[in-house]
Amino acid sequence: MTEASRPAPMPSVQPDSAALRHPQADERLGRLLMIAAMVISGTIGFFVLMSDQPALNVVFFRCLIGAASLCAWCAYRGYWRGLRMTRWQVVNVTLGAITLVSNWYFLFTAYRLTSVGITTVVYNVQPFLLVLASVIVTRERPSLATLGCLGVAFAGLVILAEPGGVHGAGYLVGVASALAAASLYAATTLFTKRLAGTIRPEIIAALHMVIGAVVFVWMADFHHLPAAPRQIGAVVTLGLFHTTFMYLLLYGAFQKASTSSLAVFGFVYPVVAVAVDFLAFGIVLHPTQWLGGVMILLAAGGYARGLGTAPLKKVS
């Protein structure tokens, strides 16, 4: 699964008793929830562009609306009761929030400089950035299969970016922004994984939104607020539909579907994003861009299916 625009990777949640009693039915439901969440995620770029708002404003309003609705949901479910956090947990939640919402800023910037489809495809190099982070931080050595997937993805990224093409400097800045977003999302993954099993994922998501709103309120441009019904509708949809509702779908998928299903159906996201580019904006990828995009998705798909998931070895 990717997410750029999706929530931070959530700590594992214990399956409920119904999932243990009806594993096949829950697996089917989990797959449907994951597909629905990825279809919704693939349309985020469309609403970002329809909002006609600066990227900083979109991030702030998404955080603000998401914080209000997710906090209300957690209160309704009673998740806030008895919550206690250590200093270590507060640090990881805060760093995860800052990297997550900063990732959104670069992602939304890339939408305008390249396209929704290209940005989303570039974003799918995130798993390999996580591998590189593991090499640097924990000095773990990836398997040869992982390195092969990484090499294919990097070659696809270079082909997709077309550095010698005629797109202009703005296009390359957009590709770089998408890559920066993927890097920040990889960092979010690391911070959030440290909280596995200690705090409910809904609580983490709500806290991420609260922190994001507090940080970005100082950067938002309140002289350029959404005024037209289309703009207001797009912003509200991003906050309620693409944040709160999509998060809850993902939580259901995480609880019910297998890890392999989550990985495979995560690739509905870039497919929908490319389709949105074509249907909404008439943007069609050039043959070389198709080649680069397919290479990235094949490499990420192979990695997600376990091709490059051999245990990492410590570098001596």
Side-chain angles (χ1 to χ4, degrees):
M1 189 187 76
T2 61
E3 191 346 329
S5 46
R6 282 173 278 170
M10 290 295 122
S12 59
V13 178
Q14 293 297 321
D16 54 29
S17 57
L20 297 176
R21 292 195 300 269
H22 306 288
Q24 292 183 341
D26 279 280
E27 174 67 21
R28 288 194 294 269
L29 177 59
R31 291 178 179 181
L32 290 175
L33 292 174
M34 184 64 179
I35 292 172
M38 294 302 95
V39 170
I40 293 172
S41 187
T43 64
I44 287 178
F46 171 79
F47 286 92
V48 169
L49 296 178
M50 288 300 99
S51 72
D52 194 30
Q53 287 287 289
L56 291 173
N57 282 21
V58 178
V59 174
F60 168 68
F61 284 116
R62 188 181 183 190
C63 288
L64 181 66
I65 298 171
S69 52
L70 282 170
C71 285
W73 172 259
C74 289
Y76 170 73
R77 300 288 293 182
Y79 295 153
W80 295 112
R81 288 197 294 268
L83 178 66
R84 297 290 186 275
M85 294 178 62
T86 65
R87 182 180 303 176
W88 172 83
Q89 290 172 324
V90 170
V91 169
N92 280 281
V93 168
T94 302
L95 292 175
I98 292 173
T99 52
L100 176 65
V101 297
S102 298
N103 141 71
W104 286 352
Y105 168 74
F106 283 102
L107 188 72
F108 298 163
T109 299
Y111 285 153
R112 289 188 168 88
L113 294 175
T114 56
S115 72
V116 174
I118 290 175
T119 296
T120 305
V121 171
V122 172
Y123 198 80
N124 275 270
V125 305
Q126 180 269 332
F128 304 110
L129 297 175
L130 193 57
V131 170
L132 293 177
S134 297
V135 172
I136 296 171
V137 176
T138 64
R139 295 185 60 79
E140 292 176 323
R141 185 172 57 199
S143 66
L144 290 177
T146 297
L147 290 176
C149 291
L150 178 60
V152 172
F154 179 75
L157 178 62
V158 173
I159 293 173
L160 181 69
E162 294 183 314
V166 295
H167 299 289
Y171 177 84
L172 293 180
V173 172
V175 171
S177 295
L179 198 55
S183 301
L184 287 164
Y185 189 67
T188 305
T189 303
L190 294 176
F191 291 126
T192 306
K193 280 187 173 181
R194 294 177 180 177
L195 300 167
T198 64
I199 306 176
R200 287 198 63 92
E202 296 89 343
I203 292 292
I204 296 175
L207 292 175
H208 279 176
M209 296 302 98
V210 170
I211 294 170
V214 171
V215 171
F216 274 79
V217 70
W218 305 104
M219 294 180 268
D221 181 6
F222 291 104
H223 298 290
H224 187 198
L225 296 175
R230 181 194 65 170
Q231 296 173 322
I232 296 173
V235 168
V236 172
T237 300
L238 285 167
L240 291 178
F241 190 63
H242 290 91
T243 303
T244 305
F245 182 63
M246 187 183 74
Y247 276 32
L248 297 178
L249 289 177
L250 281 173
Y251 300 150
F254 292 164
Q255 288 179 317
K256 298 179 183 299
S258 64
T259 301
S260 59
S261 293
L262 295 174
V264 171
F265 290 110
F267 288 94
V268 171
Y269 170 46
V271 172
V272 172
V274 171
V276 166
D277 253 358
F278 173 71
L279 295 175
F281 307 112
I283 297 175
V284 180
L285 300 183
H286 300 305
T288 52
Q289 292 175 321
W290 274 113
L291 174 61
V294 168
M295 289 174 67
I296 292 173
L297 295 181
L298 284 178
Y303 182 80
R305 291 300 300 270
L307 180 61
T309 55
L312 299 182
K313 300 176 181 179
K314 283 284 186 180
V315 178
S316 58

